[in-house]
Amino acid sequence: MRTQYGGFEKVGATKDDCKNCFIGEYDAKMIVQRLCAKKTLSSDYSFEYDVNDNGELIRVFWADEISKSNYLAFGDIISFDATFKTNKYKMVFVPFTAIDNHCHSVTVSAGLLASKTIESYTRLLEKLLKSIGSAPKVIITDQYTAMKQVISFVFPNTRQSLRMWRIMKKVAEKVLFKKDGEFGEEFTVIYTCKRF
């Protein structure tokens, strides 16, 4: 296209637009085919998907053998984040992550959701439980009512915690800081665990 139009700036589309154009209507089939192929290569690979009555992909879940071993080693506390959207179909990317012994994030599993509904979250967490075999002790999430209800239902003995980012955002919205910055300085010391 660059050659045909005389340069990238004259194409009139972004790099991602061009990628999406070439994949087009075959995206869902391609994802399902690739993940099914991986499942045939590894007996410990988990992959499930759901389609609606129109045959549209509405949920995908996957966890490979490395993700499962990450869960076994570091899965006492996992993060469940449903804030990432893909660019074309507006599906929500949901990574489940943990922290390893070197304080690095490791993937436990992942999914794609067409909607942030109680049904979607329930099915995703049920697939996670089926794949990994046991519930985590703690799940860290954002403050979404649907997530809270679903976690209590699927993992009744799992504690739920909020992300520090969410707490800090709410503090900034709800708390009035003194003009001289005294409260802000004290709060920063507490938040960052610095000693007085």
Side-chain angles (χ1 to χ4, degrees):
M1 289 180 85
R2 176 192 65 181
T3 307
Q4 182 179 359
Y5 288 99
F8 285 119
E9 64 282 350
K10 295 180 183 176
V11 171
T14 67
K15 186 175 173 181
D16 288 335
D17 291 337
C18 291
K19 287 179 186 175
N20 289 334
C21 174
F22 290 119
I23 296 171
E25 65 191 68
Y26 303 104
D27 287 349
K29 287 182 184 178
M30 182 185 68
I31 288 171
V32 170
Q33 288 172 350
R34 283 195 171 182
L35 295 177
C36 281
K38 285 186 177 191
K39 191 172 184 176
T40 61
L41 297 174
S42 173
S43 61
D44 201 23
Y45 188 83
S46 297
F47 164 63
E48 294 187 42
Y49 68 98
D50 296 317
V51 295
N52 63 15
D53 294 336
N54 298 328
E56 298 167 330
L57 190 63
I58 57 171
R59 272 182 297 279
V60 180
F61 170 84
W62 66 93
D64 63 13
E65 50 280 337
I66 294 171
S67 297
K68 290 179 181 183
S69 66
N70 284 339
Y71 181 80
L72 289 174
F74 313 111
D76 289 344
I77 301 172
I78 65 171
S79 173
F80 172 27
D81 190 356
T83 58
F84 304 105
K85 285 204 174 189
T86 61
N87 64 341
K88 185 173 181 180
Y89 297 109
K90 307 293 186 239
M91 290 187 83
V92 180
F93 174 62
V94 184
F96 293 91
T97 56
I99 303 295
D100 70 8
N101 294 337
H102 303 285
C103 294
H104 293 115
S105 295
V106 292
T107 302
V108 172
S109 65
L112 287 169
L113 299 175
S115 62
K116 293 181 176 186
T117 63
I118 289 176
E119 179 189 0
S120 289
Y121 288 139
T122 301
R123 298 278 293 150
L124 190 66
L125 288 180
E126 287 171 345
K127 291 172 188 200
L128 173 68
L129 182 58
K130 179 180 171 184
S131 170
I132 59 178
S134 64
K137 293 178 182 172
V138 177
I139 291 185
I140 301 170
T141 66
D142 282 320
Q143 190 178 1
Y144 294 123
T145 307
M147 274 187 196
K148 189 174 182 177
Q149 292 173 0
V150 169
I151 292 167
S152 297
F153 176 72
V154 179
F155 302 132
N157 297 320
T158 297
R159 289 185 52 207
Q160 297 179 50
S161 295
L162 293 178
R163 261 184 238 319
M164 185 54 80
W165 177 86
R166 174 67 65 185
I167 293 168
M168 294 305 294
K169 182 178 178 193
K170 291 295 181 185
V171 165
E173 291 172 2
K174 306 284 182 187
V175 176
L176 295 174
F177 290 96
K178 293 181 181 177
K179 287 185 179 180
D180 63 5
E182 182 182 326
F183 177 79
E185 289 170 13
E186 290 176 15
F187 186 77
T188 301
V189 168
I190 294 168
Y191 170 64
T192 58
C193 302
K194 293 181 181 175
R195 296 181 186 255
F196 291 94

